[in-house]
């Protein structure tokens, strides 16, 4: 056993190789200074040959002074560092870390998942037993559930009335442990209403207690005496001993009414059939190839083969500075994506961590890679409205100095990169934070947009927020987002696009589509800006990803999709990667590539007597081969226009 002070480090430079995944395990305890529990973290310190430094978090645990606690984590080095140290840190000074063992070894390969067995899944069948009290609730099924269920019996028109509520959690509850199947995605749907006497909008939520962990099944804000649709989804991935469903939320003294509560497994494949047809309708168009240079006898026998080489629809990914030192990562990225967004390297806390101490080198390197390879880039983000993300030196400024710092940030960033970023997220997550608005007043948000537009009018300026599309957060419902955007427009802010982050759990197509339909009424382009899905089972993760990508491709308001990364150990969420740490493509990655392949149009046939050949195809780059009795000719052409009428492409042979 080693007795280490509150921070301990060991050099491992010569013992680790780049592009290999390593597993770190340690047994730790703390001692001294009357501290009984403390966070203990394992951190990697890396110095590159050009003297850049990074700190990589590997693992952390709550350690105690009584028992040994195991900590475990993984890491991978993208580049060839000149120095690598592993640190244990965390407890306050005067409290030691006791280390029993510390092992760093090449990580074993994760065994592939097996596909879950949904053979006897009762898709669309409600697992809730509804009791009836009052009458007069809607008999129609709420829209999001109706879109999942298809033709269906009407609701009973009866509802449950909960009175004498003295706590927010009071409401009906039901045990559903035995009725749930692992890895199935369940949709939650009901009508809810509140009685009179509320002093303001009330939050109603359907919550599940899974072995005493809370799971969100959907939320809605209710401010009047009407019936409101509530919808959400959830999934259980390990065997629970007890699952209860609760309906709760309004303040004490307010009556709560619930009608037609349904919880049912969703048949995802059934909706995919509809989405394929819808995608064909909105993303493809009729293309007429008009061949010249063939004489009439050649025309009669000319064979045509059309192959699409790339689809121009924007599908991009988040990248980090260290990723671009890994040629395998860069290879996958350049082969499969046409847009990029930087994970952190453009954020203010990264480009100016201390006042006047600028770091644009990381962003410059990443931009350079993108420009050399014709990859478009999103600028994420100029400001971030959430208090916890604002660096300390900004928080300490008075109002006048803060206003100056905001102006300097805008002019510094947008002048330096003028014309380089196609989009900017101007002030990230304004539905979830208000640091700048609280300090500088309501007009600051509109002014950020106006100033950004003056400095770089070529960039489309976006709002960007999370939990907009999943029904689980009343702060960022589509209605609240629409209100925020129209308020900004009322201030004269040139809002050019709507960003939906898309960090989503157990997505259900009709719930996502319902949010897109509502936001689509604003007539602005919508992008999924930070899409990731998570499941311990790669097949289920693949299904989640397919739900999101198909919903996006089938929706006319969606104009681009950005994944929030794809490589293991470089994602913001666990169990969300498409490519394993050492480069093998998992089931989710294979599904992504299969969808990319599906969204390429190919056709073949004969040229008609007039020298025409017609097919339906996506926008993008094509190769056409024409074979006549006397010659073989190959040409490329590009389809860019989004018009409704057939596009005529002239090809001279």
């Amino acid at each position: 056993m080693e007795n280490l002070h509150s921070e301990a480090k060991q050099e491992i430079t010569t013992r680790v190789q780049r592009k290999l995944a390593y597993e770190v395990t340690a047994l730790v305890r703390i001692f001294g200074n009357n501290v009984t529990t403390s966070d203990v973290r394992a951190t990697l310190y890396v110095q590159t040959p050009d003297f850049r430094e990074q700190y990589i978090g590997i693992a952390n645990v709550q350690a105690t002074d009584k028992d040994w606690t195991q900590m475990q984590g993984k890491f991978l080095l993208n580049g060839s560092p000149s120095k690598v140290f592993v640190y244990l840190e965390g407890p306050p000074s005067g409290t030691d870390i006791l280390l029993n063992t510390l092992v760093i070894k090449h990580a074993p390969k994760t065994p592939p998942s097996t596909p879950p067995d949904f053979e006897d899944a009762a898709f669309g069948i409600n697992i809730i037993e509804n009791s009836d009290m009052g009458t007069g609730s809607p008999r129609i099924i709420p829209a999001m559930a109706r879109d999942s269920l298809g033709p269906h019996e009407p609701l009973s028109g009866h509802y449950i009335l909960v009175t004498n509520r003295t706590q927010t959690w009071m409401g009906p509850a039901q045990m559903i442990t035995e009725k749930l199947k692992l890895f199935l995605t369940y949709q939650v749907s009901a009508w809810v209403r509140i009685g009179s006497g509320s002093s303001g909008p009330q939050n109603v939520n359907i919550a599940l207690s899974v072995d005493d962990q809370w799971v969100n099944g959907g939320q809605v804000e209710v401010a009047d005496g009407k019936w409101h649709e509530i919808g959400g989804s959830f999934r259980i991935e390990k065997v629970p001993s007890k699952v209860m469903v609760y309906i709760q939320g309004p303040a004490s003294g307010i009556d709560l009414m619930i009608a037609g509560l349904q919880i049912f497994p969703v048949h995802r494949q059934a909706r995919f059939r509809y989405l394929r047809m819808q995608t064909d309708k909105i993303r493809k168009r009729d293309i007429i190839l008009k061949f010249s240079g063939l004489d009439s006898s050649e025309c009669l026998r000319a064979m045509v083969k059309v192959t699409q080489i790339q689809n121009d629809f924007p599908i991009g990914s988040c990248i980090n500075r260290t990723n671009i030192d890994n040629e395998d990562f860069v290879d996958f990225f350049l082969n499969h994506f046409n847009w990029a967004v930087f994970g952190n390297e453009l954020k203010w806390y990264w480009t100016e961590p201390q006042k006047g101490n600028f770091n644009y080198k990381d962003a410059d390197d990443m931009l350079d890679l993108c420009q050399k390879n014709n990859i478009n880039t999103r600028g994420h983000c100029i400001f971030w409205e959430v208090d916890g993300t604002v660096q300390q030196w900004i928080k300490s400024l008075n109002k006048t100095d803060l206003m100056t710092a905001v102006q300097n940030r805008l002019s510094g960033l947008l002048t330096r990169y003028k014309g380089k970023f196609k989009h900017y997220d101007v002030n990230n997550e304004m539905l979830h934070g208000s640091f700048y608005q609280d300090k500088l007043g309501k007009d600051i948000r509109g002014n950020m947009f106006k100033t950004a537009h003056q400095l770089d009018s070529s960039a489309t300026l976006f709002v960007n927020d999370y939990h907009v599309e999943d029904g689980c957060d009343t702060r960022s419902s589509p209605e609240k987002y629409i209100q925020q955007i129209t308020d900004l427009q009322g201030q004269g802010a040139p809002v050019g696009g709507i960003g939906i982050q898309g960090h989503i759990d157990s997505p259900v197509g009709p719930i996502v589509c319902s949010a897109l339909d509502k936001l689509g009424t604003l007539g602005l382009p919508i992008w999924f800006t930070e899409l990731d899905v998570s499941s311990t089972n790669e097949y289920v993760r693949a299904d989640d990803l397919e739900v999101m990508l198909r919903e996006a491709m089938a929706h006319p308001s969606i104009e681009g999709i950005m994944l929030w990364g794809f490589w293991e150990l470089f994602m913001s969420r666990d169990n969300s990667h498409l490519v394993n740490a050492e480069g093998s493509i998992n089931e989710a990655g294979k599904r992504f590539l299969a969808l990319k392949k599906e969204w390429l149009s190919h056709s073949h046939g004969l040229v008609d007597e007039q020298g025409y050949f017609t097919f339906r195809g996506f926008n993008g780059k094509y190769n056409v081969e024409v074979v006549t009795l006397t010659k073989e000719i190959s040409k490329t052409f590009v389809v860019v226009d989004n018009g409704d009428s057939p596009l005529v492409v002239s090809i001279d042979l």
Side-chain angles (χ1 to χ4, degrees):
M1 184 183 92
E2 275 187 81
N3 185 1
L4 309 170
H5 295 301
S6 55
E7 183 186 271
K9 66 177 180 179
Q10 187 171 3
E11 181 162 3
I12 55 169
T13 315
T14 56
R15 300 189 226 167
V16 287
Q17 293 177 49
R18 65 185 291 256
K19 301 201 303 180
L20 288 186
Y22 289 92
E23 185 176 75
V24 180
T25 45
L27 271 181
V28 295
R29 218 171 97 192
I30 55 167
F31 175 76
N33 215 5
N34 292 327
V35 175
T36 55
T37 66
S38 170
D39 204 26
V40 175
R41 296 186 298 280
T43 306
L44 215 58
Y45 165 80
V46 181
Q47 191 187 67
T48 62
D50 61 355
F51 300 108
R52 292 185 202 206
E53 298 183 315
Q54 353 153 221
Y55 292 90
I56 302 166
I58 308 171
N60 69 55
V61 291
Q62 273 300 110
T64 71
D65 61 346
K66 302 269 185 304
D67 304 304
W68 292 103
T69 306
Q70 185 176 25
M71 60 194 308
Q72 193 169 23
K74 274 166 87 170
F75 70 87
L76 175 138
L77 301 169
N78 285 302
S80 302
S82 51
K83 282 198 184 115
V84 187
F85 286 88
V86 65
Y87 278 89
L88 288 179
E89 55 188 354
S93 59
T95 302
D96 293 348
I97 299 170
L98 306 182
L99 180 63
N100 191 324
T101 52
L102 172 64
V103 179
I104 300 176
K105 62 175 202 282
H106 185 202
K109 296 242 183 303
T110 313
S113 308
T114 49
D117 171 19
F118 295 153
E119 274 304 298
D120 55 349
F123 291 119
I125 304 297
N126 190 12
I127 62 170
I128 293 292
E129 291 162 29
N130 281 302
S131 55
D132 298 332
M133 290 155 76
T135 57
S137 59
R139 297 204 63 199
I140 58 166
I141 290 171
M144 294 186 288
R146 194 174 62 226
D147 286 351
S148 286
L149 293 168
H152 218 266
E153 297 281 320
L155 299 176
S156 69
H158 297 276
Y159 63 87
I160 299 167
L161 170 65
V162 188
T163 57
N164 302 321
R165 298 176 59 258
T166 57
Q167 304 286 338
T168 58
W169 52 262
M170 287 187 172
Q174 194 171 113
M175 188 81 80
I176 56 170
T177 321
E178 304 304 317
K179 299 180 179 179
L180 296 173
K181 206 172 157 81
L182 290 191
F183 293 109
L184 264 183
T185 301
Y186 288 88
Q187 183 167 348
V188 180
S189 168
W191 291 109
V192 292
R193 190 176 144 193
I194 57 170
S196 56
S198 68
S199 56
Q202 299 295 312
N203 197 354
V204 179
N205 77 298
I206 298 177
L208 295 105
S209 166
V210 181
D211 295 341
D212 302 324
Q213 292 279 313
W214 285 102
V215 173
N216 189 337
Q219 300 198 11
V220 66
E221 195 174 82
V222 181
D224 54 34
K226 300 193 186 96
W227 288 101
H228 289 261
E229 175 178 14
I230 186 167
S233 65
F234 69 91
R235 185 165 58 228
I236 310 280
E237 298 206 344
K238 50 179 195 279
V239 179
S241 54
K242 184 178 137 200
V243 183
M244 286 280 282
V245 60
Y246 295 87
I247 305 175
Q248 55 185 29
S252 63
I254 297 171
D255 291 352
L256 174 60
M257 288 158 265
I258 302 102
L261 173 62
Q262 298 195 70
I263 295 180
F264 57 89
V266 180
H267 192 351
R268 289 165 143 187
Q269 299 301 324
R271 184 161 172 91
F272 290 167
R273 292 192 282 275
Y274 157 76
L275 295 173
R276 278 190 197 97
M277 294 191 302
Q278 188 62 14
T279 299
D280 272 15
K281 288 251 190 296
I282 68 166
R283 301 290 174 199
K284 284 183 175 177
R285 65 183 302 191
D286 290 326
I287 299 159
I288 301 168
L289 301 184
K290 182 182 176 188
F291 297 105
S292 54
L294 290 175
D295 62 41
S296 55
S297 64
E298 284 182 309
C299 260
L300 287 172
R301 299 269 169 76
M303 292 279 297
V304 180
K305 184 182 174 193
V306 177
T307 309
Q308 187 168 13
I309 305 160
Q310 65 192 52
N311 185 326
D312 282 350
F313 185 83
I315 296 182
S317 176
C318 166
I319 59 176
N320 296 308
R321 171 61 189 86
T322 66
N323 294 145
I324 69 174
D325 294 333
N326 182 339
E327 59 280 15
D328 301 340
F329 179 100
V330 172
D331 220 35
F332 190 94
F333 171 64
L334 295 179
N335 280 324
H336 303 299
F337 298 98
N338 52 14
W339 277 69
V341 62
F342 306 165
N344 294 307
E345 290 80 356
L346 211 66
K347 288 172 181 162
W348 195 1
Y349 65 64
W350 194 282
T351 62
E352 196 180 0
Q354 291 86 29
K355 188 174 182 183
N357 173 10
F358 292 99
N359 165 28
Y360 287 115
K361 181 149 178 38
D362 293 329
D364 289 349
D365 290 350
M366 295 161 81
L367 197 55
D368 188 48
L369 173 84
C370 293
Q371 288 182 316
K372 281 187 176 134
N373 292 283
N374 296 318
I375 303 270
N376 288 315
T377 46
R378 302 193 75 250
H380 175 78
C381 49
I382 308 175
F383 300 101
W384 195 348
E385 191 65 286
V386 175
D387 190 281
T389 65
V390 179
Q391 61 274 52
Q392 204 46 53
W393 71 266
I394 293 173
K395 285 187 171 178
S396 65
L397 299 174
N398 64 36
K399 186 175 178 179
T400 311
D401 292 346
L402 179 60
M403 189 60 99
T404 306
V406 164
Q407 293 301 330
N408 291 345
R409 163 69 172 168
L410 280 159
S411 55
L413 187 75
L414 276 85
T415 308
R416 180 185 183 91
Y417 293 118
K418 187 166 186 172
K420 302 270 173 70
F421 290 101
K422 293 258 189 207
H423 297 173
Y424 279 106
D425 294 330
V426 176
N427 188 4
N428 199 32
E429 299 174 0
M430 292 184 284
L431 292 167
H432 289 93
S434 56
F435 173 81
Y436 295 99
Q437 184 171 272
D438 292 346
K439 296 272 189 287
L440 300 173
K442 189 156 171 25
D443 291 346
I444 189 61
R445 292 177 168 181
N447 289 337
M448 286 169 171
F449 275 84
K450 287 186 252 190
T451 308
H453 182 67
Q454 284 159 11
L455 289 163
D456 186 352
S457 59
S458 72
T460 305
L461 304 180
F462 275 70
V463 289
N464 192 48
D465 228 305
Y466 62 93
H467 286 329
V468 176
E469 76 291 0
D470 56 13
C472 79
D473 185 346
T474 52
R475 291 171 299 178
S476 50
S477 65
E479 291 78 7
K480 291 254 177 87
Y481 211 11
I482 289 166
Q483 186 63 56
Q484 181 177 87
I485 293 162
T486 49
D487 287 350
L488 284 165
Q489 289 170 329
Q491 290 181 25
V495 180
I498 302 170
I500 298 177
Q501 290 182 10
H503 301 292
I504 192 168
D505 287 305
S506 52
V508 167
I511 295 177
V512 174
C513 185
S514 166
L516 297 177
D517 287 349
K518 288 171 186 171
L519 290 164
T521 59
L522 291 169
L524 291 169
I526 303 174
W527 281 56
F528 279 117
T529 52
E530 306 181 14
L531 177 61
D532 57 20
V533 294
S534 172
S535 173
T536 53
N537 184 298
E538 291 166 9
Y539 289 88
V540 177
R541 192 186 316 164
D543 289 346
D544 282 357
L545 187 63
E546 185 170 356
V547 166
M548 294 304 288
L549 293 176
R550 285 200 185 281
E551 290 295 337
M553 284 300 276
H555 202 284
S557 298
I558 291 278
E559 294 193 12
I561 303 163
M562 304 295 294
L563 302 190
W564 201 242
F566 55 86
W567 201 277
E568 185 185 9
L569 302 179
F570 298 93
M571 308 288 295
S572 61
R573 293 169 72 191
D574 289 339
N575 304 311
S576 57
H577 55 281
L578 314 186
V579 181
N580 299 330
E582 293 179 5
S584 59
I585 300 170
N586 64 29
E587 281 307 319
K590 288 173 188 167
R591 188 78 55 88
F592 172 69
L593 297 183
L595 286 166
K596 295 268 303 191
K597 198 171 167 186
E598 183 184 314
W599 295 324
L600 293 171
S601 324
H602 310 303
S603 188
H604 60 88
L606 294 169
V607 177
D608 71 13
E609 299 96 281
Q610 281 80 44
Y612 292 115
F613 178 76
T614 305
F615 71 102
R616 269 185 81 71
F618 294 103
N619 283 354
K621 190 175 177 185
Y622 288 83
N623 188 52
V624 57
E625 293 169 67
V626 182
V627 181
T628 71
L629 292 174
T630 56
K631 57 191 173 194
E632 276 187 41
I633 301 159
S634 183
K635 296 259 182 181
T636 59
F637 65 94
V638 177
V639 176
V640 286
D641 190 12
N642 252 335
D644 296 328
S645 55
L647 177 73
V648 179
V649 180
S650 298
I651 295 175
D652 184 9
L653 300 173

